[in-house]
Amino acid sequence: MLSPYLLLLLVPSPPLAAFLMLGLDPFFLRRRAVQVLALLGGVAPFFVMLPLAAVCFGGECHGVVPVFTLAFGQSEVALALLLDPMSTLVGLTVAAVGAMVITYAIDYMSDAGVADLRRFFALMNLFLAAMLTMVLAGDTITFFFGWELMGLCSFFLIAYNTGLPQAVAAGRKAFIITRFADAFLLAGLLLLFLEANSVRLDVLIPAGATMTEDRHLVIALLLLAGALGKSAQVPFHTWLPSAMAGPTPVSALLHSATMVAAGAFMLARFSPIVMSEPLVQAIAAAFGVGTAAFGALSAIFQTDVKRLLAYSSISQIGFMVLAVGLGAPEVAIGHFVVHAMFKSLLFLAAGDITHGSDLGTSMKAMRGAARRRPVAYVAYVAGAASLAGVPFITAGWWSKEAVLSAAWNTGPFGIAIWALAFLTAICTAVYAFRPVLEALLPEPEHRSRAPHGHPLALNLHHRARIGSGFITVPLVVLATGSMLGGVMVAPIISFLGAEVPHAPHLPALLAAMAPFAGLIGAAALTFVPSLAAAVEGAHDMRRPTRLDHKFQIWVIEPYIRLIRWLSRDRRPRDADLDFERQVRLIRWLSRGARMDGVYQALVVRPFVNLVRWLSGHRGGGVDPVGSAPVALALRLTQAVVGPLAHDRFDRFWMRSANRLVRIWVMARAIQTGRSRDYALGLALGTAALLVIAWGTTWN
Amino acid sequence: MNAATLSILLLLSAGLFATGFFGLLARRAILFQLISLELMLAGPALGFIAGGAYHGGQTGQAMFVLILILAAAEVALGLALYLALRRVADVEDADTITRLRH
Amino acid sequence: MGYDMELTALILLPFFGGIAALFAGRFGRDAERWVSIAALALALVILILAFLTPGDGRWIAFERFDWAPSLGMQVILAMDGLSGALLVVSLALGIVSVIVSWKITEHSGLLNAALLWTVAASNGVFLSFDLLVFAFFWELMLVPAFLLISVWGHGDREAAALKFLVFNAVAGLGLLAAVFYLGASGEVVTFDAFEVAERDIPHGVQVLLLLGFAAAFLVKLPVPPLHAWLPDAHTQAPTAGSILLAGLLLKTGAYGLFRFPPMLFPEGFATLAPWGMVLGAFGSIYGALLACGQTDAKRLVAYTSVAHMSIVLMGICGGVYFSLMGAGVEMVAHAFSASALFLLIGALYDRTGTRDLRELGGLQQSAPRFAAAFAVFFSAALAMPGTANFLGEALVITGMFQVNWIFASITLISLVVSVVYATRLFKRVVFGKARRSGVVEDLTAREMGPIVLLAIATLLFGMLPQLLMGALEGAVTAALAPVAGP
């Protein structure tokens, strides 16, 4: 009998087929054919997922479809796809967001050349297939296969503009950092496999959760490190803001909604293992809330919409990791679903507003959006509200409130975490509303082409368009989801088999006020001219700005006084030095804590120096280890052969040789060349031989 | 055959060989040298026949046949060389062709 | 066990094919190439038929006949899954190398003969179980390979060829000495590996003999610090030569290590294996680091070979099921992926006349097919899941975790560094703008053929690993617990 779960195999198949058809060279495809194929491949998984989800919501929700089984020495490796509540929900979300983004990209990318278009959609479809494979994977091999394939697609897609060195560099950076983290994940998965002697998740996770060894801690830490890298959490976060060099649909699908959040998904997937180790849980929570706060703070001071959204992704995924760390992976999945919707919406809307602007994706390009692209602007507002967590009417509030409540309910440490998360929520609202309010400002006067403008854009309003439906439908669908999805958060969490956490009224009320506090902050940063100019100038490194002054008066000064008072320090202060310090701090934040510089100094530069030294570019020999045996052999040869080269034996032999030469010269005279002489010689020789023979036989 | 006849025949063969050898050394014309060579070969051939007849075996005759073949081959080669020398260098005198020395 | 001659044919067909190719040139245009391809294809058919006929469990096919019985010399040819897989690699790469050198007209008869002789000699290495015959084929391989580098190479080819010859010939002496000692040490003079394996050799002697064997194998592999010949040889060799060097000659070293030390000197091997792992661990990082620093594309790939073969060494010395299986898979996978990269860089060199990474670029725009091919083997080079390379490396790492987690971590680090050099190669060649190289013509159909073949092999063995792992099972269990042959 055919199981309905066989449909699972069909979920990643359409995008894979689209990838193969778009990626295989022999078929010549026209632009329209490319777009149709891409659209079919991108949208089909959603419609395959729907009946599966229906079956799953109906209660029959544990389907394993074996793909094939490998006999492997003593162990058996069974590859399979798995349908359970978690993979159903995440799979459905990914398929939906993927369908929306690819639909949007049909129009957004329509001014690219056919070859580039083909490459773009082939990779997007491959990514979608990889992500769905990972989500639905029933074993670690399939899981890791999808996981790595996503990374590969991410590399190619970030570097989509192959002519732009910074895009290529960003792709490399993203790939190397995530691959570094993946090495931890791979180690963790392999150790789990050795422990459980199976790769099937349904065997391996319970086996991993029940073992009581040091290895358990190691495995949990390795899995956590893998998740932090893929999800761009501190300290691996540096690749995500750079990855915004890719086209906007790529940022919307890969670098916010799905791939980056996959780390949180993975943690939720392996949560029994993580949760049975309190230390790892605490570390996860600390990294999660720390990253959330750091990402939100950094996002406030961004001057580029996409970079702002990138830091926002870092921060929001920090909330998910926090939820897993608090022992509520179901809440993390709930936030995953909601975040996927509003974050992709924000990217798509911002992309539509800034597309073709000569200002690139800088915040200024948002200006005048309400008049220019009203649908996109409204969609953006919806997404920003959801991101900020405006109470009751947005989905973001429900899921974030669940995370905050989970923190509150964890005990005294939980309250500290809650406090940090609450401050983060305020910062979130500040940066969420900044682009919204910026868009209300009038457009800048001068239209001169900026040096870093979009390479394809010549005029703001001239764009190749297929039909506005390709833009509008995804925006409307995602905006609806971001607003009304809130009612789904509680069902999602209970569907996953957990209770929605509820906090007491006071913290809940405080959390509900956070977006409004944030809105005030955003308004101050946008409409108070001195502050706006200050944020604008935050990237200018040469002189302190007004923002620095404000920051000093309101934040740094009280802090320093507090510290001095606490430490009973009565020495006179060096005001200039303090000022200098806090100028550094704010810039440090606006550049994502300068982690790039730290890596540059700690890892990249020593690595490059080592490589250059080994390759002989910095003094020293080329390939020292390889040439050592050669040098040794040469030295040895010289030591042994050198003294013998001009010795007496040698001279003796050479003298004999010279003598021989002289004899040869004399002997040469016998040769006359006349045959008669030779005949005589022959005869005489024969005669002599005969005489000798006669003589010897004489007796 | 008795021993006396054998001695006479062996003397005859030695004489034939000596005649041929003298001719080879004394004559300078290539053709005559070839003729002398044939004479030299005839000497031992006669010796083999005589020896064979004396001992009553076939080995002597077999060796004679071998020498016959050798002589034929030698004459063919020698005449070919002679003709080639005539054609290429127009020489009759064996003493003038000494260039192989170098 | 009948007296079939299929294994002998696998050695002799390429050999006589080479002789025929030497003279075939005068009977028609490209006749020597067609003759070569025909000989290799015929051998491949014979090999596949041998696979299909049932063997006796351990061996797929087995042949034994006397050669010089008074000297104890026999010809013993045996094929199991490991040799079979490597023979497929050797014949397939032989065909690829003939196709790749299609346009070389200078002494083309000799060129094809040299290619076929290399294949014949390495086939002999993969099949022989008489140690003297093994050593004979081992040395024989050097001759055609030397010719390939010194006649049709680029740049400073004589020096590179000489370096290659000196390194390998000197190291081969160790093997020869050990083989002679083994043959003469028993009551009867015999070089039969199965008989030698049953002897009780004292531990100290085992270690010494193993050092002799290892000298030859480690230089051929090559593992640092014995690798100095490889970058030069690979770089200066013609494309076909690089393909055979990377795909075949390096594999003979790994094969020898895989097959003989555990079989002949189990105790000595157990003593030396940790040092082998240390060497391999060092080599895997060292090769990868140097690959990052190269400016010559071919040299870069050559150093990646050092890194990958060091991982193979680690897997073999690990001595547990997973690591041995991983080493076997990695051997086959690396043969395909490295040759494909050499092929692509060779094709690029034919078009642009440079292999300098600073001068190349922009393939994505000018030659999309080229770029796609690069992308596939780029993924293989950095061990993307789904390629056979990942399978091999993941298995080695799994095995290393069972042996010692430090070695496993080092392999993982080397995996991360592989991303650095692979993306560097890709960035410089495929991305960016065309620098001095100008616009590059895309791959032709004749170049696409071998590339598609190699890509299919890489992905097939990665996606359906049973094909390869099932074949390797016997050899792996034999290396785990040495057993005598029939």
Side-chain angles (χ1 to χ4, degrees), chain B residues 28-102:
Chain B
R28 290 168 62 180
I30 295 171
L31 204 58
F32 282 99
Q33 285 184 327
L34 281 175
I35 293 168
S36 309
L37 267 176
E38 288 302 306
L39 272 179
M40 280 173 73
L41 281 170
L46 183 62
F48 274 120
I49 291 289
Y54 178 69
H55 290 292
Q58 297 117 328
T59 330
Q61 293 177 21
M63 288 309 290
F64 175 73
V65 173
L66 182 74
I67 290 177
L68 218 58
I69 293 165
L70 194 73
E74 176 259 315
V75 161
L77 201 64
L79 283 176
L81 277 173
Y82 170 66
L83 286 176
L85 282 170
R86 281 285 301 270
R87 193 169 307 144
V88 174
D90 195 21
V91 283
E92 291 267 358
D93 186 353
D95 282 7
T96 55
I97 34 177
T98 59
R99 282 188 43 205
L100 273 177
R101 171 176 177 255
H102 302 296

Side-chain angles (χ1 to χ4, degrees), chain C residues 423-455:
Chain C
T423 47
R424 180 160 175 273
L425 178 68
F426 202 74
K427 172 183 98 174
R428 293 299 181 118
V429 174
V430 178
F431 289 163
K433 296 192 175 71
R435 280 174 274 260
R436 222 189 72 183
S437 54
V439 172
V440 176
E441 184 202 344
D442 214 339
L443 289 174
T444 59
R446 199 177 50 235
E447 287 161 332
M448 273 315 269
I451 290 197
V452 169
L453 187 83
L454 293 171

Side-chain angles (χ1 to χ4, degrees), chain A residues 668-669 671-676 678-680 683, chain B residues 21 24-28 33 94-95 97-98 101:
Chain A
R668 228 174 144 237
Q671 301 289 327
T672 60
R674 292 197 309 187
S675 51
R676 293 191 303 146
Y678 296 140
L680 183 61
Chain B
F21 184 58
L24 183 69
L25 292 186
R27 300 302 297 241
R28 290 168 62 180
Q33 285 184 327
D95 282 7
I97 34 177
T98 59
R101 171 176 177 255

Side-chain angles (χ1 to χ4, degrees), chain C residues 105 126 160 205 221-222 227 252 291 300 305 311 322 375 418 454 459 473:
Chain C
T105 48
F126 293 141
V205 180
L221 197 62
H227 67 280
T252 59
L300 191 155
S305 293
I311 293 179
F322 288 120
S418 78
L454 293 171
L459 294 176
E473 192 78 44

Side-chain angles (χ1 to χ4, degrees), chain C residues 302-324:
Chain C
Y303 276 110
T304 69
S305 293
V306 173
H308 287 126
M309 295 314 285
S310 298
I311 293 179
V312 171
L313 171 68
M314 232 193 296
I316 293 172
C317 290
V320 291
Y321 177 85
F322 288 120
S323 74
L324 282 167

